[in-house]
Amino acid sequence: IFDRYYDDLLIDPARFRYKGSVKIIQFVKRIIPSPDIYFILTTSPDIIFKRKQELSKKEILYQVNKYQKMKNNNVIQIDVNKSIEDITLKVYHEIISYMSVRQKKEV
């Protein structure tokens, strides 16, 4: 379990102080293993800005849009504007669902 992964470098290179070419990041991404499940914890840009004001609203909106475009089979978006119990239950459900499908494939 990681709180950041390689794709974060594509979305916010400044966070990682990366000033090189995006093409290099995209090339290297091809050889890095993808996680089995990729949870993206998100909510509206306004709520994020209230919680973390070190980024501008414009930058938060940009990043939220980029994360929302990350849609494939292993990316699961979780709205964190809910209770911790609801968020935990959603993550738990997604993991169990994934493991159930995976187990059926292995049998």
Side-chain angles (χ1 to χ4, degrees):
I1 296 176
F2 297 97
D3 67 340
R4 295 270 170 218
Y5 197 66
Y6 191 79
D7 293 295
D8 294 309
L9 183 57
L10 284 165
I11 291 170
D12 188 12
R15 170 187 287 268
F16 301 95
R17 295 181 176 92
Y18 180 77
K19 295 180 183 176
S21 170
V22 173
K23 290 182 180 185
I24 292 172
I25 299 171
Q26 292 168 335
F27 175 77
V28 173
K29 182 180 178 350
R30 294 181 199 169
I31 61 173
I32 293 178
S34 293
D36 291 334
I37 304 175
Y38 198 128
F39 291 103
I40 297 177
L41 307 179
T42 190
T43 193
S44 77
D46 290 330
I47 292 172
I48 294 171
F49 183 72
K50 286 179 186 176
R51 294 179 185 173
K52 296 188 77 144
Q53 296 183 0
E54 60 265 15
L55 296 176
S56 69
K57 284 186 181 182
K58 182 179 177 181
E59 179 63 22
I60 290 171
L61 181 60
Y62 169 79
Q63 289 185 20
V64 167
N65 286 333
K66 292 280 278 193
Y67 279 113
Q68 287 175 345
K69 289 179 182 175
M70 288 180 61
K71 295 187 179 182
N72 61 40
N73 293 338
N74 67 345
V75 174
I76 300 166
Q77 306 256 346
I78 304 288
D79 183 0
V80 295
N81 194 26
K82 298 179 180 182
S83 71
I84 189 71
E85 292 82 12
D86 289 342
I87 296 167
T88 304
L89 189 60
K90 174 71 173 166
V91 169
Y92 175 77
H93 171 75
E94 293 293 344
I95 291 170
I96 296 300
S97 177
Y98 170 81
M99 294 303 291
S100 174
V101 170
R102 185 170 128 179
Q103 183 179 12
K104 288 176 185 176
K105 288 179 181 178
E106 291 176 358
V107 172

